[in-house]
Structure formats: structure tokens, C-alpha cells
């Protein structure tokens, strides 16, 4: 039989070189850098891909829809719905990129939807509870205690994100305002401080002194404060 015609789709699949996870990651993260995504976003992708591979126990580029479904089923036994959805969003971005650029034949996330999560009422502190919290913090005659008081005041005045707060540098404080540079959308913005908070920030900067790190908020070892170490769990110490 003469073989002058084009190869069939099945025959093309046989000779097509399959991409590896390492090659897929290299392409995906190169695109992330070209789009100027924040380092925190890239780290988020890396962490979620690593965690997904441990659950699935196979190459991500070889995954099918059933593998993602099994990931969801097994994950529900161990982690919260919000965490699962965070992982699914990362995988969706990854597979959408690979499929769009014809690096995989099928998108295993095509028919996968985020899990429905029951909304929980978020309890907030009223003014009296906030005053009591501040009084409790002020009883701590330590640098960390005073730092935490200033952090809480800045949070209350500005409503900044935790990731934005730890990214503030000393030079970003300008009298009654703070320039927020490390934002989610990469656009700088200005937030304003009340007179009382402004005075406490000045006192904090004076006590903080000149250090190697330029980050405004530091830990007890004079190193920049990380978001994972500064959470509301810390404030629970005073409650």
C-alpha cells in the first residue's frame, strides 16, 4: 500500500514528543516572568504544583480529568475546601497555558469546577474589644509588644493586606501617610494614618533604629518580618 498521504491523528500522536513536567514548568514560569507576575504569585504556583504532584503521584503533564477528580476526593479528607480551591486555581492556570500553547493534547481542568464552600460568618471585634486588646498589648513592656501595637493601629487605620504591611519600608512612611508598593495589582497606592497612629509609628521607628534591612516591621532578631510569622494567631496571644 502506498504511503503518500498525511499521517493520521493517531499516527501523529505516536511520533509526537511528549513534554516533561520540568519542561512544562520552565515554559510556564518563563511566561509568568514575561507577564511580570509578583514573586509571591510565582512561589504560590510552585508550592501548589509540588503539593499536587504528591497527591496525584504522577507527572502533571500526564494527568487526565479523573486524576484531578481523585485529587479533589483525597484532598477533602485532609484539607479545607478553600485550600483545595486555591490548588485548583493554580492547576487551572497551568493547564490552560499548556493547552493554549499546544503543549498538551487535552486540558484535564476543562470540566473541573471549584468546590462550593459554605460561607461562614466572620466575627469581628467591636470598639470596646479593640480597646481592651490594645490595653493588653500595651502591658507588654517589650519591643515586640510595642511593634504589635503599632501594627494593629496601622491595620485599623488603613485596612492594608498583611502581605502589603510586611512589604512597607521605612522610607515609605511620609508623615501622615504610607506608600504601599507591594500591592496585589502592582499599582502603588497611598494610605493615611490618624494623628495617634502617626505618633506611634514615629516612636516605633525611633526605637527600631538603623538596621541592615529597610523593612519597617522587624522581628526580635532585627530581621524583616515575614507574613507567615505575623498573623492573627500572634494577636491571639494577647486575647
Amino acid at each position: 500500500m502506498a504511503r503518500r498521504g498525511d499521517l493520521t491523528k493517531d499516527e501523529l500522536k505516536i511520533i509526537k514528543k511528549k513534554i516533561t513536567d520540568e519542561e512544562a514548568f520552565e515554559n510556564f514560569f518563563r511566561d509568568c516572568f514575561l507577564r511580570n507576575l509578583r514573586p509571591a504569585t510565582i512561589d504560590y504556583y510552585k508550592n501548589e504544583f509540588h503539593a499536587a504532584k504528591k497527591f496525584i503521584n504522577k507527572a502533571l503533564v500526564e494527568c487526565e480529568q479523573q486524576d484531578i477528580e481523585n485529587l479533589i476526593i483525597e484532598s477533602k479528607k485532609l484539607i479545607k475546601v478553600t485550600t483545595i480551591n486555591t490548588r485548583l486555581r493554580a492547576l487551572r492556570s497551568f493547564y490552560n497555558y499548556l493547552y493554549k500553547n499546544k503543549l498538551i493534547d487535552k486540558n484535564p481542568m476543562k470540566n473541573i469546577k471549584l468546590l462550593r464552600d459554605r460561607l461562614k460568618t466572620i466575627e469581628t471585634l467591636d470598639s470596646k474589644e479593640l480597646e481592651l486588646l490594645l490595653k493588653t498589648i500595651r502591658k507588654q513592656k517589650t519591643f515586640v509588644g510595642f511593634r504589635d501595637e503599632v501594627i494593629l493601629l496601622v491595620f485599623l487605620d488603613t485596612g492594608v493586606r498583611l502581605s502589603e504591611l510586611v512589604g512597607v519600608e521605612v522610607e515609605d512612611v511620609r508623615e501622615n501617610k504610607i506608600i504601599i508598593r507591594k500591592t496585589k495589582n502592582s499599582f502603588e497606592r497611598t494610605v493615611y494614618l490618624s494623628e495617634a497612629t502617626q505618633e506611634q509609628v514615629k516612636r516605633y521607628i525611633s526605637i527600631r533604629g538603623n538596621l541592615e534591612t529597610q523593612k519597617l516591621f522587624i522581628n526580635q532578631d532585627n530581621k524583616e518580618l515575614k507574613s507567615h510569622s505575623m498573623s492573627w494567631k500572634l494577636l491571639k496571644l494577647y486575647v
Side-chain angles (χ1 to χ4, degrees):
M1 180 179 68
R3 293 180 178 270
R4 298 188 181 88
D6 294 336
L7 294 174
T8 65
K9 290 183 178 180
D10 290 335
E11 290 171 333
L12 287 172
K13 287 182 180 180
I14 294 174
I15 65 174
K16 181 180 180 180
K17 179 184 176 181
K18 293 184 178 179
I19 191 172
T20 65
D21 273 359
E22 289 70 25
E23 291 169 331
F25 293 152
E26 183 178 353
N27 280 274
F28 177 77
F29 289 121
R30 182 176 183 274
D31 180 68
C32 289
F33 283 117
L34 290 174
R35 290 188 287 132
N36 198 31
L37 297 188
R38 294 188 307 146
T41 301
I42 294 175
D43 287 340
Y44 149 67
Y45 283 136
K46 290 180 178 179
N47 292 335
E48 296 304 330
F49 297 162
H50 176 72
K53 284 195 70 170
K54 290 180 65 176
F55 266 99
I56 297 174
N57 198 27
K58 68 186 294 187
L60 293 186
V61 292
E62 297 176 2
C63 285
E64 299 178 355
Q65 180 174 320
Q66 185 175 353
D67 295 309
I68 304 299
E69 292 173 350
N70 291 338
L71 166 68
I72 295 172
I73 293 171
E74 293 302 316
S75 297
K76 288 179 69 176
K77 301 175 184 178
L78 301 171
I79 56 181
K80 297 179 180 180
V81 170
T82 52
T83 305
I84 297 173
N85 284 339
T86 297
R87 190 153 299 156
L88 292 178
R89 290 187 183 96
L91 291 174
R92 177 176 292 168
S93 297
F94 179 60
Y95 286 119
N96 283 349
Y97 169 81
L98 296 182
Y99 184 71
K100 178 182 177 181
N101 289 275
K102 300 181 180 180
L103 298 175
I104 55 175
D105 296 320
K106 293 183 179 180
N107 185 346
M109 287 293 297
K110 180 180 179 182
N111 299 314
I112 300 293
K113 297 181 179 180
L114 298 181
L115 304 184
R116 293 185 61 183
D117 191 15
R118 295 180 180 177
L119 298 177
K120 297 179 181 179
T121 302
I122 300 177
E123 296 184 5
T124 58
L125 300 177
D126 59 31
S127 58
K128 291 184 178 179
E129 290 172 324
L130 286 172
E131 289 178 8
L132 179 60
L133 177 58
L134 281 170
K135 287 181 180 179
T136 304
I137 295 176
R138 285 166 180 162
K139 290 179 181 179
Q140 310 299 315
K141 304 300 182 181
T142 62
F143 169 77
V144 170
F146 183 60
R147 179 206 65 191
D148 292 344
E149 175 192 340
V150 175
I151 285 175
L152 180 57
L153 290 174
V154 173
F155 269 138
L156 293 174
D157 271 8
T158 65
V160 296
R161 296 182 176 88
L162 178 57
S163 61
E164 295 174 336
L165 182 88
V166 296
V168 173
E169 298 189 354
V170 176
E171 66 177 11
D172 296 329
V173 180
R174 316 279 179 82
E175 297 296 332
N176 69 330
K177 61 186 179 183
I178 297 177
I179 309 301
I180 305 297
R181 304 182 191 280
K182 189 178 179 181
T183 63
K184 187 174 182 180
N185 58 13
S186 298
F187 290 105
E188 293 183 6
R189 75 177 193 278
T190 301
V191 295
Y192 293 87
L193 305 174
S194 65
E195 186 174 336
T197 300
Q198 181 184 343
E199 290 302 317
Q200 290 300 77
V201 170
K202 285 182 179 179
R203 295 186 179 101
Y204 167 79
I205 292 175
S206 177
I207 294 174
R208 175 193 180 281
N210 294 320
L211 301 170
E212 183 177 345
T213 178
Q214 296 304 309
K215 291 294 188 291
L216 176 63
F217 293 110
I218 56 174
N219 60 27
Q220 58 187 3
D221 297 316
N222 291 329
K223 304 295 183 181
E224 66 177 85
L225 194 64
K226 302 291 186 180
S227 57
H228 62 78
S229 60
M230 175 55 215
S231 66
W232 288 113
K233 291 181 180 179
L234 181 61
L235 294 181
K236 288 182 180 179
L237 295 173
Y238 304 107
V239 178

